[in-house]
Amino acid sequence: MNHPEPVLEMYNYHSWANGVIIDRLNDLPQHIYHKEIQSGFSSVSKVLSHIYLTDYAWFDIISGKSMDEAMACSNQLREEVEKKSIEEMKKIFVALYDRNKEILSTEEDTDKVIVVDNPYAGLLETSISESVLHVVTHGSYHRGNIATMLRQMGHTSVMQDFGLYLYSK
């Protein structure tokens, strides 16, 4: 049986890094968050919403839902989440972190195999710990998108590297 602390620590980093970028966005002029721009995503709000909805879906999968069910739940929230202000996003991220950390802290074996039936890629046997690592790396990738988008709009981003997280503890 594998102890969940390393997986929980990675998720704590992910939570911290999202909080850092949300705080930075909160310091910028309000119109920046929903401003339409030419990029991989049409706005910073859509990127942050994508991170939130992906976290939501993957933890539903970790909790036993099929990928189809998890994606359906996530897609039902999409329009509502994309319209939220940055202050509202901070609140729903905190609630999601609390939910997901509870799931991780009560999981006795993070190496437990789960089978994900991805409608785009097929069956995947993976573990809870690998799924959490996917959530963390996915978030890091898209926070990089946000940093690039902010630069395109003439603003700086903020560091949110794992090393900085370790120093901040």
Side-chain angles (χ1 to χ4, degrees), residues 31-108:
H31 76 279
I32 295 296
Y33 184 59
H34 289 289
K35 183 178 180 178
E36 296 279 326
I37 65 168
Q38 290 292 110
S39 189
F41 285 82
S42 59
S43 68
V44 170
S45 63
K46 290 202 174 162
V47 182
L48 195 61
S49 296
H50 176 72
I51 294 169
Y52 176 88
L53 294 166
T54 300
D55 284 18
Y56 194 99
W58 272 99
F59 273 86
D60 274 357
I61 293 165
I62 289 168
S63 297
K65 285 187 180 177
S66 71
M67 182 169 255
D68 280 339
E69 290 174 302
M71 288 173 61
C73 289
S74 177
N75 285 334
Q76 284 181 327
L77 296 172
R78 182 173 314 286
E79 189 175 330
E80 174 189 337
V81 171
E82 286 178 353
K83 290 179 181 177
K84 291 192 178 299
S85 69
I86 192 63
E87 295 86 9
E88 293 169 320
M89 287 301 291
K90 185 169 187 163
K91 289 176 187 172
I92 67 169
F93 261 107
V94 168
L96 184 65
Y97 299 148
D98 290 345
R99 176 194 100 152
N100 295 349
K101 287 177 187 178
E102 179 65 24
I103 291 167
L104 289 177
S105 66
T106 58
E107 182 56 54
E108 292 182 13

Side-chain angles (χ1 to χ4, degrees), residues 147-159:
T148 299
M149 294 168 84
L150 290 177
R151 281 188 219 109
Q152 285 178 300
M153 292 185 280
H155 299 278
T156 59
S157 185
V158 62
M159 283 185 55

Side-chain angles (χ1 to χ4, degrees), residues 2 8 19 21 27 33 40-41 43 55 95 102 118 120 122 135 160 163:
N2 191 14
L8 186 57
I21 200 75
D27 289 342
Y33 184 59
F41 285 82
S43 68
D55 284 18
E102 179 65 24
N118 185 319
Y120 309 107
V135 166
Q160 69 240 226

